PDB file of all heavy atoms in Angstrom:
ATOM      1  N   ILE A1116     -17.324  30.156  18.973  1.00  0.00           N
ATOM      2  CA  ILE A1116     -16.822  31.021  17.910  1.00  0.00           C
ATOM      3  C   ILE A1116     -16.389  30.146  16.744  1.00  0.00           C
ATOM      4  O   ILE A1116     -15.530  29.277  16.889  1.00  0.00           O
ATOM      5  CB  ILE A1116     -15.638  31.873  18.404  1.00  0.00           C
ATOM      6  CG1 ILE A1116     -16.086  32.822  19.518  1.00  0.00           C
ATOM      7  CG2 ILE A1116     -15.030  32.659  17.247  1.00  0.00           C
ATOM      8  CD1 ILE A1116     -14.941  33.609  20.149  1.00  0.00           C
ATOM      9  N   THR A1117     -16.979  30.374  15.581  1.00  0.00           N
ATOM     10  CA  THR A1117     -16.681  29.535  14.413  1.00  0.00           C
ATOM     11  C   THR A1117     -16.116  30.333  13.249  1.00  0.00           C
ATOM     12  O   THR A1117     -15.917  29.799  12.160  1.00  0.00           O
ATOM     13  CB  THR A1117     -17.947  28.800  13.943  1.00  0.00           C
ATOM     14  OG1 THR A1117     -18.968  29.768  13.637  1.00  0.00           O
ATOM     15  CG2 THR A1117     -18.455  27.852  15.024  1.00  0.00           C
ATOM     16  N   ASP A1118     -15.844  31.608  13.468  1.00  0.00           N
ATOM     17  CA  ASP A1118     -15.307  32.476  12.424  1.00  0.00           C
ATOM     18  C   ASP A1118     -13.923  32.955  12.852  1.00  0.00           C
ATOM     19  O   ASP A1118     -13.754  33.438  13.980  1.00  0.00           O
ATOM     20  CB  ASP A1118     -16.245  33.670  12.200  1.00  0.00           C
ATOM     21  CG  ASP A1118     -15.693  34.668  11.206  1.00  0.00           C
ATOM     22  OD1 ASP A1118     -15.717  34.371  10.000  1.00  0.00           O
ATOM     23  OD2 ASP A1118     -15.202  35.726  11.645  1.00  0.00           O
ATOM     24  N   PHE A1119     -12.920  32.845  11.975  1.00  0.00           N
ATOM     25  CA  PHE A1119     -11.560  33.204  12.358  1.00  0.00           C
ATOM     26  C   PHE A1119     -11.441  34.681  12.722  1.00  0.00           C
ATOM     27  O   PHE A1119     -10.721  35.044  13.665  1.00  0.00           O
ATOM     28  CB  PHE A1119     -10.575  32.865  11.231  1.00  0.00           C
ATOM     29  CG  PHE A1119      -9.175  33.312  11.530  1.00  0.00           C
ATOM     30  CD1 PHE A1119      -8.420  32.677  12.514  1.00  0.00           C
ATOM     31  CD2 PHE A1119      -8.615  34.388  10.852  1.00  0.00           C
ATOM     32  CE1 PHE A1119      -7.132  33.102  12.814  1.00  0.00           C
ATOM     33  CE2 PHE A1119      -7.328  34.823  11.146  1.00  0.00           C
ATOM     34  CZ  PHE A1119      -6.581  34.175  12.124  1.00  0.00           C
ATOM     35  N   ASP A1120     -12.120  35.552  11.995  1.00  0.00           N
ATOM     36  CA  ASP A1120     -12.047  36.984  12.307  1.00  0.00           C
ATOM     37  C   ASP A1120     -12.612  37.258  13.704  1.00  0.00           C
ATOM     38  O   ASP A1120     -12.040  38.050  14.470  1.00  0.00           O
ATOM     39  CB  ASP A1120     -12.808  37.803  11.267  1.00  0.00           C
ATOM     40  CG  ASP A1120     -12.107  37.811   9.907  1.00  0.00           C
ATOM     41  OD1 ASP A1120     -10.878  37.580   9.886  1.00  0.00           O
ATOM     42  OD2 ASP A1120     -12.787  38.035   8.892  1.00  0.00           O
ATOM     43  N   ALA A1121     -13.721  36.602  14.032  1.00  0.00           N
ATOM     44  CA  ALA A1121     -14.300  36.772  15.370  1.00  0.00           C
ATOM     45  C   ALA A1121     -13.363  36.222  16.430  1.00  0.00           C
ATOM     46  O   ALA A1121     -13.213  36.800  17.518  1.00  0.00           O
ATOM     47  CB  ALA A1121     -15.662  36.096  15.437  1.00  0.00           C
ATOM     48  N   LEU A1122     -12.723  35.104  16.136  1.00  0.00           N
ATOM     49  CA  LEU A1122     -11.759  34.531  17.072  1.00  0.00           C
ATOM     50  C   LEU A1122     -10.589  35.486  17.272  1.00  0.00           C
ATOM     51  O   LEU A1122     -10.125  35.679  18.402  1.00  0.00           O
ATOM     52  CB  LEU A1122     -11.256  33.187  16.548  1.00  0.00           C
ATOM     53  CG  LEU A1122     -10.192  32.480  17.395  1.00  0.00           C
ATOM     54  CD1 LEU A1122     -10.737  32.128  18.779  1.00  0.00           C
ATOM     55  CD2 LEU A1122      -9.689  31.226  16.685  1.00  0.00           C
ATOM     56  N   SER A1123     -10.123  36.101  16.204  1.00  0.00           N
ATOM     57  CA  SER A1123      -9.010  37.046  16.298  1.00  0.00           C
ATOM     58  C   SER A1123      -9.360  38.234  17.183  1.00  0.00           C
ATOM     59  O   SER A1123      -8.534  38.696  17.983  1.00  0.00           O
ATOM     60  CB  SER A1123      -8.609  37.536  14.900  1.00  0.00           C
ATOM     61  OG  SER A1123      -8.163  36.475  14.091  1.00  0.00           O
TER      62      SER A1123
END
Side-chain angles (χ1 to χ4, degrees):
I1116 296 175
T1117 58
D1118 176 75
F1119 176 70
D1120 290 337
L1122 178 63
S1123 298

